[in-house]
Amino acid sequence: MNIKNSIEITPELVASHGLSGDEYDRILELTGREPSYTELGIWSAMWNEHCSYKSSKKWLKTLPTEGPQVIEGPGENAGVVDIGDGWCVVFKMESHNHPSFIEPYQGAATGVGGILRDVFTMGARPVAAMNALRFGDPEHHKTRHLVSGVVAGIGGYGNCFGVPTVGGEVQFHPRYNQNNLVNAFAAGIARIDGIFRSEAKGVGLPVVYLGAKTGRDGVGGATMASAEFDENIEQKRPTVQVGDPFTEKCLLEACMELMKTGAVIAIQDMGAAGLTCSAVEMGARGSLGVELDLDKVPVREEHMSAYEMMLSESQERMLMVLRPELETEANAIFSKWGLDFAIVGKTTDDLRFRVLHQGEEVANLPIRELGDEAPEYDRPYLEPGKYSDLNIADIEPPKDYNKALITMLGSPNLASRRWVWEQYDSLIQANTLQIPGGDAGVVRVCDENGNDTGKALAFTSDVNPRYCEADPYEGGKQAVAESYRNLSACGATPLATTDNLNFGNPEKPEVMGQFVAAVKGIGEACSALDMPIVSGNVSLYNETNGKAILPTPTIGAVGLIGDHSKHCAIGGADTGDIIFLIGRNGSHLGQSSYMRECLGREDGPPPIVDLYAERQHGEFVRAAINSGYATSCHDISDGGLAIALAEMSLANGLGAEINLLTEHPHAVLFGEDQARYLLTVDDEWADMFAANSEGSAIAFTRVGIVGGNMLKIGKLISISLDELRKTHEAWFPDYMA
């Protein structure tokens, strides 16, 4: 086999492609010769951490991915879950961390664009988006710039594309100073019989390029995302893609129209590694070979090399295997939408991946080995150490409880995120029932004609990285448990999850130990709460100059509300409603927001997650909501009972008077014990609710009443709603100003 190689393949060149010496030796064995420069790029793209999951695959296999509701689990562009009556929800979460640090606006924007394509490539029309964002210390010189660019990029892309952003997270911690996180989530709705997959079928069929033209933006992006940062970060700017949401909107509509014609045999988004990854995955999944002719690829720049074309991550592009008899009709659809449509190759029966450029063969590789033979490492790991328990009596209570509550409510991690989410269009498509600011976003489910089905979907994203740092196993469990609570608090039955596992360098045993423990905790919680993981992403090497981020295994979760007229919100209570605490009094202050914000401490173990109690309490809360008892509901998490009461009061626009008799009030008010909710019930039904709940084996307490314009908690706290609101709403706009 005679493939010309104009560039010498040196050990330095191999290393610059993120390949180890052992990996390159394996590539030589599989290729049967020295690879060309283009082939080296292809191997690098397919074998990098971002695409091959070589450090995480062993542990990902242990996660629960099946259930009666699961139609498609991990492996496709997105997961698919049955929501009844022939409909399904399609969803996934992915990271765009490194690009968003290098170029915040485009990095975040193209993260949104990529996750939307993952969803509509499956045949689902996107109906909701979320984003989970982590930034460094607010006082760090780069944090404000990153926040501004990332938020603008998310809004700029999502708003123009026309999908509502209904939820997400924003957190700050010094460990993200040099490596912020941008985890993007999208969900869509489709008919079960209208799902499309990426598995190529049939020999000699046309491989079609769809969408925008190919440029040099994003070349090597997947390899860049699989490496640590150092002081040369700025030199990586050319590896960040540039997005165009208007082109993506046209691509969505063209794909939806095309899919109705029956022309599509297989379809794959061109995401990480562009043409390379999409073509290899389609062929390998179908046990077919693929031949590409790069001279037929639509380009927007002159004199692009084969290497650049194969590794470009230009946005708004798809690859499809087409029924040849419908080529004319398919071409006409894309022409109507002003998009490129080009036959750039064909499927073959030889399991080879061939690439032609300017009349010469520049790559000829075994297609299965490109994907299936990627290294799978069993990395050595250290079991994470654990903190000793903290004695409540040894944790200093506040001298002024009013001041403590105000300090926490106005802190960077507990202040209102209104400044962020008001830059996103949360109401476009006119189906949003709950906008950001509550426990979960809620969106109506409509049929193909736009008619309301009476159902709704709820979406949430959760993780507490401080917990994961202190105990990755309990932290992983807690991320799933909190997402379960957020869905339950609005009356949704949790269906399934997607994950975005953000960690440091897996070659360090202590980091790999965090990863393993977190995955074990996540798996246990997903099994116990019947929330299988159907899609996701692993983002490793989130380090700069050897300093890793906090372990951040983000969980995105989806729930179903059978009758959306019964959905519950954080702010639905009226004057006179009785407030119930579901669960026991708080007692756990380890790793709490109180300790961090008021005492300047981040120590102690995180709260233990009792998964049996989580399930019991969630089912109880959902039953109360579906029975019509609950006028509002809110889960208790960061900041404990006091913060939950303040947030609920602000959402209601009404104060509350809370009874508090306890030996350790600071633990009761600020403890972050799990499996707990606040639930309000109309005074007329409160006694009956309590009586009916007596036999449920659920711990619950009647703690107070809604009304007035003050939040009063025993004799310790008495603050007006005006002061609470001013404090809660001020931090973000003041900081960004």
Side-chain angles (χ1 to χ4, degrees), residues 563-592:
D563 178 357
H564 65 62
S565 68
K566 295 181 178 179
H567 85 277
C568 196
I570 184 177
D574 290 322
T575 297
D577 285 359
I578 304 303
I579 305 169
F580 287 88
L581 166 65
I582 310 302
R584 302 191 182 279
N585 276 345
S587 62
H588 190 95
L589 289 170
Q591 296 297 330
S592 65

Side-chain angles (χ1 to χ4, degrees), residues 433-595:
L433 297 174
Q434 286 193 34
I435 63 173
D439 289 280
V442 180
V443 173
R444 269 190 294 257
V445 176
C446 294
D447 64 19
E448 59 264 47
N449 299 313
N451 300 313
D452 188 349
T453 65
K455 298 180 180 181
L457 290 166
F459 306 99
T460 186
S461 166
D462 296 289
V463 67
N464 188 322
R466 294 194 319 278
Y467 291 177
C468 295
E469 173 84 348
D471 186 335
Y473 171 71
E474 288 297 335
K477 285 166 60 180
Q478 194 274 340
V480 178
E482 187 174 349
S483 68
Y484 179 87
R485 288 198 302 274
N486 282 335
L487 297 176
S488 297
C490 63
T493 301
L495 289 177
T497 60
T498 180
D499 59 7
N500 206 146
L501 308 178
N502 308 273
F503 290 81
N505 184 344
E507 297 167 46
K508 296 179 178 178
E510 62 274 19
V511 171
M512 198 64 208
Q514 292 175 333
F515 181 86
V516 171
V519 168
K520 287 180 178 178
I522 289 167
E524 184 177 329
C526 286
S527 294
L529 301 175
D530 286 341
M531 297 170 70
I533 290 181
V534 298
S535 59
N537 174 242
V538 177
S539 176
L540 302 177
Y541 294 96
N542 288 290
E543 296 197 7
T544 300
N545 295 323
K547 185 71 171 176
I549 61 165
L550 293 176
T552 312
T554 310
I555 298 295
V558 177
L560 177 66
I561 300 173
D563 178 357
H564 65 62
S565 68
K566 295 181 178 179
H567 85 277
C568 196
I570 184 177
D574 290 322
T575 297
D577 285 359
I578 304 303
I579 305 169
F580 287 88
L581 166 65
I582 310 302
R584 302 191 182 279
N585 276 345
S587 62
H588 190 95
L589 289 170
Q591 296 297 330
S592 65
S593 292
Y594 167 72
M595 286 183 61

